[in-house]
Amino acid sequence: MTSKALTRLIQPPGRIESGESYFYPEPGKRIDVMALSEEEVRRLRGNLIAYVYQDPNAALDPLYTVGYQIAETMKVHGKVKSIKEGVKKAVEVLAQVFMPDSEARVKAYPHELSGGMKQRSVIGMEISNKPKLLIADEPTTALDVSVQAQILNLLKDLQRERALTYLFISHDLEVVRYMSDYIAVMYLGKIAEFGPAEEVFEKPMHPYTEALLSSIPIPDPKLAKKVKRIILKGEPPSPLNPPSGCRFRTRCPLAFDKCLEEPPLEEA
Ligand code: SF4
């Protein structure tokens, strides 16, 4: 929801009540996303910001070949003049995401591809417009574990080659550690802690982050016995009606009177 709100993708009856969103496509250039017209924000999303979601089946149309769908995306955003030209380029795009036999796959329909190939096609489609920011929302959750690693490595390679910035959303903490330079830990829709990835993992400041990190499974049973797991009590409150003050106070093992006031997000 937060990533959608940042790029104004919230559909009615949802709405953005308040807040700001700025996008910096290059040094010294700032775009106030909330001040853009509908047409401008649509162009921003198509050209500079791309999205990869959890389920590639939802992103691909089962009635068209992946080559056609990549070509259509490129044509809509003015990168090619015709679908024919786009399909030719789609072979290159699929090769860039290491699709095996991209010449043949360009003619494949989504149901003819494996889950990993479908996600590669979606990533190819999204990067075909050369965006600056890729919002990846649980991009590997729907995939087999072996394919997950391939897709994560692909995303890392593309980031290096194309100087892409990622907003990577995941509940898998090991994946988060592998992919991130900075981490924002969210609880009930608000950032509880933000910092460089290694610092957040090595020296968590927020009790919620500590509890999350203590839940990471440790394969070595001897080591696992030495680590203290923090079990949070109670159910998470409804985000529609969050607790007053600190949102975490109803489950925080350190809560005290002052937690009835909302704590600011402060630099450590
Ligand atoms: S409940 Fe209080 S101690 Fe716990 S995280 Fe919130 S502000 Fe900090």
Side-chain angles (χ1 to χ4, degrees):
M1 290 309 282
T2 307
S3 71
K4 285 187 172 171
L6 286 171
T7 52
R8 289 189 28 204
L9 269 176
I10 301 283
Q11 300 293 329
R15 62 179 186 274
I16 298 167
E17 293 243 313
S18 63
E20 295 166 10
S21 171
Y22 298 105
F23 180 60
Y24 296 81
E26 54 197 71
K29 188 168 179 201
R30 184 176 91 158
I31 299 172
D32 182 349
V33 180
M34 295 301 160
L36 297 178
S37 68
E38 277 304 320
E39 176 53 26
E40 286 168 334
V41 83
R42 198 187 63 77
R43 259 188 278 131
L44 175 77
R45 288 196 297 256
N47 291 323
L48 294 175
I49 303 176
Y51 300 83
V52 176
Y53 292 115
Q54 193 176 111
D55 183 5
N57 292 310
L60 293 168
D61 189 326
L63 300 178
Y64 295 94
T65 62
V66 291
Y68 181 92
Q69 295 182 58
I70 294 171
E72 194 180 35
T73 307
M74 293 172 96
K75 186 162 176 276
V76 166
H77 295 290
K79 306 291 180 200
V80 291
K81 291 199 176 66
S82 66
I83 292 288
K84 199 173 164 195
E85 185 190 347
V87 172
K88 269 194 202 153
K89 289 249 180 206
V91 178
E92 285 168 37
V93 169
L94 289 180
Q96 282 161 10
V97 293
F98 305 106
M99 177 76 92
D101 197 1
S102 55
E103 297 238 359
R105 303 284 184 230
V106 88
K107 297 179 203 135
Y109 287 87
H111 74 270
E112 295 174 307
L113 301 175
S114 68
M117 285 180 181
K118 277 188 254 192
Q119 196 61 305
R120 278 177 200 275
S121 306
V122 173
I123 293 169
M125 192 155 73
E126 292 298 323
I127 61 162
S128 63
N129 288 321
K130 303 194 168 58
K132 300 270 184 191
L133 170 69
L134 184 82
I135 298 178
D137 189 352
E138 302 267 13
T140 56
T141 310
L143 305 174
D144 289 347
V145 177
S146 58
V147 181
Q148 280 184 15
Q150 291 172 17
I151 296 295
L152 291 175
N153 288 332
L154 169 66
L155 287 171
K156 277 247 171 191
D157 290 346
L158 291 172
Q159 186 180 40
R160 247 191 324 268
E161 284 164 19
R162 295 168 173 247
L164 269 167
T165 297
Y166 291 152
L167 177 59
F168 192 92
I169 302 158
S170 178
H171 69 276
D172 185 327
L173 296 169
E174 288 301 348
V175 168
V176 168
R177 185 176 207 165
Y178 181 64
M179 291 300 293
S180 313
D181 295 314
Y182 288 87
I183 295 175
V185 179
M186 298 194 74
Y187 183 76
L188 286 186
K190 281 216 168 186
I191 293 177
E193 176 161 3
F194 176 78
E198 278 312 306
E199 266 182 43
V200 171
F201 269 85
E202 297 306 328
K203 284 189 286 169
M205 304 294 288
H206 195 285
Y208 179 57
T209 313
E210 276 188 286
L212 271 185
L213 296 182
S214 83
S215 73
I216 298 176
I218 300 171
D220 181 344
K222 277 190 197 149
L223 212 60
K225 268 191 195 156
K226 288 186 195 152
V227 176
K228 192 174 154 241
R229 285 198 66 190
I230 302 168
I231 314 274
L232 294 177
K233 299 208 174 89
E235 293 294 313
S238 162
L240 293 176
N241 188 19
S244 58
C246 174
R247 289 180 173 219
F248 188 49
R249 73 177 167 78
T250 52
R251 304 175 75 207
C252 179
L254 307 178
F256 65 116
D257 300 352
K258 271 269 197 194
C259 305
L260 284 163
E261 293 162 28
E262 184 162 10
L265 192 62
E266 281 182 0
E267 255 182 58

